């Protein structure tokens, strides 16, 4: 993928930005462009657990769940991510995802952009031990971080590259502990017929836990989900503003109920 293709693939955003989630089948209306620092400031105030409606909005099975289920899973998945971050930090004596990745014999590469055009991602984990961090997106975000107002909200704790790496590292940890980890053992029954049944994992749980894991390792006070707006802003302030409105709307829905 060339840089130009990557840029045009970001409009409209059709994927969960960190993970392999569902595409949305509608064309986004035009949105008013908002100042980045103002959007981030507002998003940083949304309590971490209250991101559940947004977190599940990219989940292919979302229509099958109740809000109560989503809220319960949100909490359990965040706890799962945090616990594994604490466990792995204790085991290897560091919070630095670069050192952790080295200790876990991961191979990390830093290409400019993804080589396939079918998915737009800022970082990617590939079984068994590869992580790619796409630097075009990271460099753009680092430039935005030079704005003191933006930095004030996102704080000096934020290292974009390491945050993306932490998230992907969770997917490796998840693979390693797949027999016991909550995000892989928790399943929903899609159908059953006599002795036959088909159970599925819920992708959103992995993504939520990966955010919880990254938040804990990086020591961030806000939900890493707001990075969707931040990372997209470097490519399209308008798309980022649209995402922001969607996030607030999904949060507001919960507040009213
Ligand atoms: Zn992910």
């Amino acid at each position: 993928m060339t840089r130009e293709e990557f840029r045009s693939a970001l409009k409209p955003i059709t994927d969960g930005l960190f993970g392999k989630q569902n595409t949305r089948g509608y064309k986004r209306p035009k949105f008013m462009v908002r100042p980045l620092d103002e959007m981030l400031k507002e998003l940083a105030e949304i309590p971490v657990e209250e991101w559940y409606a947004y977190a599940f909005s990219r989940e292919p099975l979302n229509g099958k769940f109740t809000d109560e289920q989503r809220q319960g899973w949100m909490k359990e998945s965040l706890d799962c991510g945090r616990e594994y971050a604490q466990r792995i930090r204790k085991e290897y004596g560091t919070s630095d995802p670069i050192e952790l990745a080295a200790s876990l014999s991961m191979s990390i590469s830093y290409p400019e952009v993804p080589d396939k055009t079918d998915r737009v991602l800022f970082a990617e984990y590939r079984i068994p031990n590869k992580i790619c961090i796409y630097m075009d997106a990271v460099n753009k975000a680092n430039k935005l971080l030079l704005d003191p107002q933006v930095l004030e909200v996102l704080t000096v704790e934020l290292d974009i590259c390491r945050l993306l790496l932490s998230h992907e590292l969770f997917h490796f940890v998840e693979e390693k502990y797949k027999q016991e980890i909550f995000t892989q053992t928790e399943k929903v029954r899609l159908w059953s017929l006599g002795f036959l049944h088909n159970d599925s994992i819920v992708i959103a749980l992995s993504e939520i836990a990966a955010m919880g894991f990254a938040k804990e390792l990086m020591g961030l006070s806000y939900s890493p989900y707001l990075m969707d707006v931040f990372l997209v802003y470097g490519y399209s302030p308008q798309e980022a503003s649209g995402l922001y409105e969607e996030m607030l709307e999904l949060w507001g829905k919960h507040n009213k109920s």
Side-chain angles (χ1 to χ4, degrees):
M1 199 192 296
T2 65
R3 263 197 220 193
E4 285 64 36
E5 282 169 337
F6 185 62
R7 194 168 299 133
S8 64
L10 267 163
K11 298 179 201 168
I13 300 144
T14 54
D15 210 328
L17 295 170
F18 284 97
K20 305 160 184 67
Q21 299 191 52
N22 205 16
T23 50
R24 284 171 295 159
Y26 67 90
K27 214 171 176 205
R28 187 179 278 290
K30 295 283 175 208
F31 286 100
M32 187 184 95
V33 173
R34 292 168 190 273
L36 179 60
D37 61 311
E38 285 176 22
M39 293 195 288
L40 294 174
K41 201 169 170 209
E42 193 138 12
L43 295 175
E45 277 163 19
I46 302 178
V48 181
E49 289 184 6
E50 292 183 21
W51 281 86
Y52 75 88
Y54 180 72
F56 276 92
S57 66
R58 271 69 177 163
E59 162 61 50
L61 300 173
N62 194 27
K64 294 180 182 292
F65 309 143
T66 64
D67 239 21
E68 213 174 357
Q69 274 179 307
R70 291 182 197 109
Q71 278 172 287
W73 274 331
M74 183 76 186
K75 192 181 176 320
E76 283 178 285
S77 305
L78 285 170
D79 287 349
C80 168
R82 187 176 52 241
E83 278 160 26
Y84 274 86
Q86 289 164 351
R87 185 167 156 179
I88 206 160
R89 174 164 58 207
K90 201 171 166 199
E91 195 172 335
Y92 295 99
T94 177
S95 285
D96 183 352
I98 295 179
E99 285 178 32
L100 287 171
S103 302
L104 293 162
S105 307
M106 305 286 301
S107 128
I108 313 168
S109 62
Y110 301 90
E112 277 278 296
V113 291
D115 48 42
K116 279 189 249 152
T117 49
D118 61 336
R119 255 195 277 134
V120 176
L121 294 169
F122 296 129
E124 193 173 0
Y125 163 63
R126 289 181 198 157
I127 294 169
N129 70 337
K130 282 192 171 47
I131 290 175
C132 297
I133 308 286
Y134 299 113
M135 292 310 288
D136 190 49
V138 173
N139 294 335
K140 280 195 163 59
N142 274 328
K143 271 188 205 139
L144 295 172
L145 206 50
L146 294 174
D147 178 342
Q149 316 268 48
V150 171
L151 181 64
E152 196 190 318
V153 181
L154 298 180
T155 72
V156 288
E157 269 76 46
L158 176 66
D159 178 318
I160 298 153
C161 212
R162 283 183 163 83
L163 178 65
L164 292 171
L165 179 57
S166 302
H167 176 109
E168 300 308 326
L169 207 51
F170 177 77
H171 291 311
F172 168 77
V173 169
E174 197 179 22
E175 181 65 21
K176 190 172 165 189
Y177 295 101
K178 64 180 167 195
Q179 305 300 333
E180 57 185 86
I181 196 165
F182 171 72
T183 54
Q184 295 297 304
T185 56
E186 180 78 354
K187 299 223 165 96
V188 288
R189 182 141 299 180
L190 296 181
W191 54 261
S192 58
L193 187 69
F195 291 111
L196 297 173
H197 58 255
N198 186 8
D199 293 346
S200 168
I201 60 157
V202 181
I203 296 167
L205 306 189
S206 295
E207 293 313 308
I208 295 164
M211 294 303 191
F213 182 89
K215 180 181 181 292
E216 175 71 19
L217 276 190
M218 297 286 92
L220 299 176
S221 59
Y222 48 83
S223 169
Y225 274 106
L226 65 75
M227 297 302 292
D228 282 4
V229 165
F230 181 50
L231 291 170
V232 168
Y233 200 90
Y235 290 91
S236 166
Q238 197 180 64
E239 279 296 328
S241 302
L243 261 183
Y244 160 82
E245 285 185 25
E246 188 186 352
M247 287 168 176
L248 281 195
E249 198 189 311
L250 286 165
W251 181 43
K253 226 184 255 171
H254 157 71
N255 278 347
K256 271 174 242 143
S257 66

